[in-house]
Amino acid sequence: MLKLGITGGIGSGKTTVCRLFELLGIPVYYADDESKKLLEEDQLVKEQVIKTFSDSILNDLGTIDRKKLAAIVFNNKEQLEKLNAILHPAVGQHFENWLKKQNAVYILKEAAILFESGAYKQVDKVLTVVAPLELKIQRTMKRDGVSREVVEKRIELQMSDEEKIKRSDFVIINNEQELLIPQVLSLHKQLINK
């Protein structure tokens, strides 16, 4: 089974592209979503995160407040690296367990920081979704209800699209001018005929 990693900067439209592959019957592992679930549900991960960032990141119910945690890590690269050092190995193991249950010609592993996290080592090929910077900013502001400044800070912490493209096997352009469905169908045909 071919393992295809899918990445792209914040607001590039990775999730939209993944949904199209799912409509074609392709299983998708959403690393970012699973990371959030592990933060809430995996006792060992929770303990490590609280130990690293103190209980100031907890809410009134004693659970991790992701907004408080985000305020710390998205403003400090070293803090983000500390969080990633806890989450990425846990997500990697979770992905391996998920993979054993799949039965398809190929699967997708979606991760915003596929290269930065080292998760690209778990896949055979990489697809990067790209979009113009202004469009990514507008999409993210609308989706997350955050300011332009917050989005720009997050973008600064991510690898550039140019660098991702250099390291990728496939690219999908999601600029609201190129049609997405034909790009996805074309790649799907290539992958099922390999």
Side-chain angles (χ1 to χ4, degrees):
M1 175 186 339
L2 180 82
K3 298 182 289 286
L4 177 66
I6 178 167
T7 193
I10 190 169
S12 63
K14 292 179 302 298
T15 303
T16 301
V17 171
C18 286
R19 299 283 186 244
L20 293 172
F21 278 102
E22 285 180 305
L23 289 172
L24 296 169
I26 302 306
V28 179
Y29 180 87
Y30 293 93
D32 299 345
D33 292 346
E34 293 304 332
S35 174
K36 289 171 190 164
K37 283 184 199 167
L38 288 170
L39 199 56
E40 292 169 8
E41 299 167 9
D42 186 299
Q43 198 56 41
L44 187 62
V45 168
K46 284 184 348 191
E47 286 170 8
Q48 287 179 298
V49 171
I50 294 165
K51 185 178 173 188
T52 303
F53 296 99
S54 86
D55 55 10
S56 67
I57 61 167
L58 300 177
N59 60 25
D60 296 340
L61 301 171
T63 58
I64 294 172
D65 184 323
R66 288 207 326 263
K67 284 189 178 174
K68 287 180 182 177
L69 184 58
I72 295 168
V73 301
F74 287 126
N75 290 314
N76 186 315
K77 200 169 187 170
E78 287 170 15
Q79 297 295 344
L80 180 60
E81 286 171 5
K82 286 180 187 177
L83 179 63
N84 287 342
I86 297 167
L87 288 176
H88 294 319
V91 172
Q93 188 54 56
H94 189 269
F95 171 69
E96 291 298 330
N97 295 337
W98 176 86
L99 200 53
K100 291 172 188 166
K101 300 172 191 160
Q102 303 311 311
N103 184 19
V105 176
Y106 70 96
I107 60 92
L108 268 73
K109 178 179 186 176
E110 180 271 339
I113 54 173
L114 190 79
F115 294 114
E116 299 93 323
S117 69
Y120 70 94
K121 295 172 186 167
Q122 288 185 299
V123 297
D124 304 307
K125 301 276 183 189
V126 175
L127 160 64
T128 293
V129 180
V130 295
L133 179 61
E134 187 56 35
L135 187 55
K136 292 193 295 189
I137 291 169
Q138 294 302 322
R139 284 176 181 161
T140 307
M141 286 169 57
K142 185 177 177 184
R143 181 192 70 201
D144 296 352
V146 293
S147 71
R148 178 181 199 89
E149 184 182 72
V150 167
V151 178
E152 287 173 345
K153 245 184 187 135
R154 290 182 187 173
I155 288 171
E156 281 175 30
L157 292 171
Q158 293 185 339
M159 183 183 285
S160 71
D161 283 351
E162 294 75 26
E163 185 60 31
K164 285 179 179 168
I165 290 168
K166 275 189 225 167
R167 298 176 178 210
S168 297
D169 302 283
F170 310 103
V171 176
I172 284 184
I173 300 165
N174 187 14
N175 59 7
E176 296 183 355
Q177 287 156 11
E178 318 276 330
L179 296 174
L180 271 184
I181 293 173
Q183 292 180 78
V184 170
L185 286 174
S186 173
L187 181 53
H188 177 68
K189 283 180 189 164
Q190 283 181 60
L191 294 171
I192 58 173
N193 292 322
K194 284 207 173 210

